[in-house]
Amino acid sequence: MNLKHIYNTRNFIEMNYNQIISINSLEDISSYSYRNLQRVFYSLFKETIGAYQTRLKVENGYKKLLYSNAQISDIALEVGFADVQSFSKTFKKHFNCSPSVARNQKETLLNDSHPQETICSNLKPEILFIPEITAYYSSCKTSYINPEIEDLWDTLLENEIPTISDFFGIITDDIVITEKSKCTYEACIVTETVIENLPSKKLFGGKYARFLHHGSYETLEDTYQQIFGAWFLNNDIEISHLPVIEQYIKNDSNCSTSADYLTAIFIPLI
């Protein structure tokens, strides 16, 4: 089984989730017949290709409802539905409420997910345009629990890589929206070395708000609570549906204690 080709296929679906994707294009990228690709894809990701693409449509639609001011009819078209009626029907099937109800519950949902008692309201990010870069990666299903992510990094770094210039983590899913069993984390490394056995993908290429988290990964959630529970709700700003990216600037490879860790959190902006 060529996992690199399968992950490249999933990347292609992620990048084109709101388009009609032909069977021929999937077969060309994966080097599998469509029937075998479906079988392998399901065995790895526990979803059919069709179900995965539909989930990306409605979950990215949900993100746009929560984090942007776009009209629901425009969101429906942006995420790949023919009209607002088909978007609403599929959205309600997934989330048991209509898009308009979901949008109206935004503040309650974000406050419940990010309790106010830990919030620092004066959090100020740096707004940056970051050029696109290429990274090699490995991924795992996780509800963003540290031991699972640490195991993934340990496995990734077993590859013989002479020089790594940067370490990134992609928070693929929004835990407010996505079922925990379907959440994915991707451990990414940037290197000039060609790594034949790992898939690659593009990171960044747009405007981001960069926050800095000081200290252990165990307290990362506190910073996310500040970002989404106060900064976003208290500022007139729109967040993109693209994944959040973490950069591990100071980590166990260059620090003696986790208290000295430094992590940059990049929130994609519209």
Side-chain angles (χ1 to χ4, degrees):
M1 185 187 299
N2 193 324
L3 292 180
K4 180 178 177 179
H5 286 172
I6 300 300
Y7 279 96
N8 286 341
T9 304
R10 188 177 69 166
N11 286 346
F12 179 80
I13 296 169
E14 289 174 357
M15 293 174 62
N16 299 279
Y17 74 91
N18 57 351
Q19 308 294 322
I20 296 173
I21 299 175
S22 71
I23 289 175
N24 286 342
S25 63
L26 294 176
E27 289 181 335
D28 289 344
I29 295 166
S30 68
S31 300
Y32 283 91
S33 70
Y34 187 67
R35 180 178 178 181
N36 285 332
L37 173 61
Q38 282 276 29
R39 177 178 56 80
V40 175
F41 193 94
Y42 186 83
S43 70
L44 283 175
F45 307 124
K46 307 308 177 188
E47 290 179 281
T48 65
I49 291 171
Y52 180 60
Q53 187 176 9
T54 298
R55 181 165 68 82
L56 289 178
K57 288 181 178 182
V58 294
E59 290 186 354
N60 283 327
Y62 204 154
K63 288 180 183 180
K64 290 173 182 287
L65 290 169
L66 292 181
Y67 303 124
S68 81
N69 298 321
Q71 297 292 321
I72 294 176
S73 57
D74 292 335
I75 291 173
L77 299 179
E78 287 171 7
V79 299
F81 288 92
D83 50 51
V84 70
Q85 289 80 14
S86 56
F87 172 56
S88 297
K89 181 178 179 180
T90 307
F91 188 94
K92 191 168 185 178
K93 182 178 178 181
H94 272 72
F95 300 114
N96 296 316
C97 68
S98 68
S100 58
V101 169
R103 169 162 276 176
N104 290 337
Q105 293 175 342
K106 174 176 73 174
E107 195 161 333
T108 300
L109 179 65
L110 293 178
N111 281 333
D112 287 348
S113 301
H114 306 287
Q116 289 291 318
E117 62 267 17
T118 61
I119 298 305
C120 173
S121 61
N122 62 356
L123 195 66
K124 297 187 187 307
E126 184 178 8
I127 307 299
L128 305 167
F129 181 88
I130 305 178
E132 187 176 77
I133 62 173
T134 300
Y136 294 95
Y137 75 97
S138 289
S139 71
C140 70
K141 292 289 185 183
T142 176
S143 53
Y144 305 117
I145 297 171
N146 288 325
E148 295 173 350
I149 292 174
E150 289 171 7
D151 290 344
L152 180 66
W153 275 106
D154 288 343
T155 301
L156 175 62
L157 295 176
E158 286 175 1
N159 292 274
E160 295 183 5
I161 307 167
T163 305
I164 299 175
S165 58
D166 278 305
F167 300 87
F168 295 97
I170 301 180
I171 312 302
T172 300
D173 302 290
D174 189 326
I175 59 172
V176 173
I177 296 169
T178 305
E179 293 178 22
K180 288 184 178 181
S181 63
K182 291 183 169 63
C183 288
T184 299
Y185 173 88
E186 294 174 340
C188 304
I189 52 174
V190 176
T191 175
E192 294 183 0
T193 305
V194 176
I195 308 175
E196 295 290 350
N197 62 318
L198 288 177
S200 63
K201 70 188 319 178
K202 302 295 185 181
L203 307 183
F204 297 112
K207 186 166 70 170
Y208 286 79
R210 186 181 75 158
F211 297 85
L212 293 178
H213 170 79
H214 298 268
S216 168
Y217 303 136
E218 300 289 341
T219 58
L220 263 173
E221 180 57 28
D222 295 343
T223 300
Y224 278 106
Q225 288 175 351
Q226 294 174 30
I227 294 169
F228 289 99
W231 174 76
F232 169 68
L233 289 176
N234 294 330
N235 288 276
D236 184 20
I237 198 160
E238 295 183 89
I239 295 176
S240 167
H241 69 287
L242 296 173
V244 171
I245 299 175
E246 297 175 347
Q247 181 184 14
Y248 309 111
I249 301 169
K250 293 184 180 179
N251 52 68
D252 58 3
S253 69
N254 53 21
C255 284
S256 57
T257 172
S258 63
D260 295 327
Y261 287 0
L262 179 62
T263 304
I265 299 172
F266 294 90
I267 306 296
L269 303 178
I270 295 175

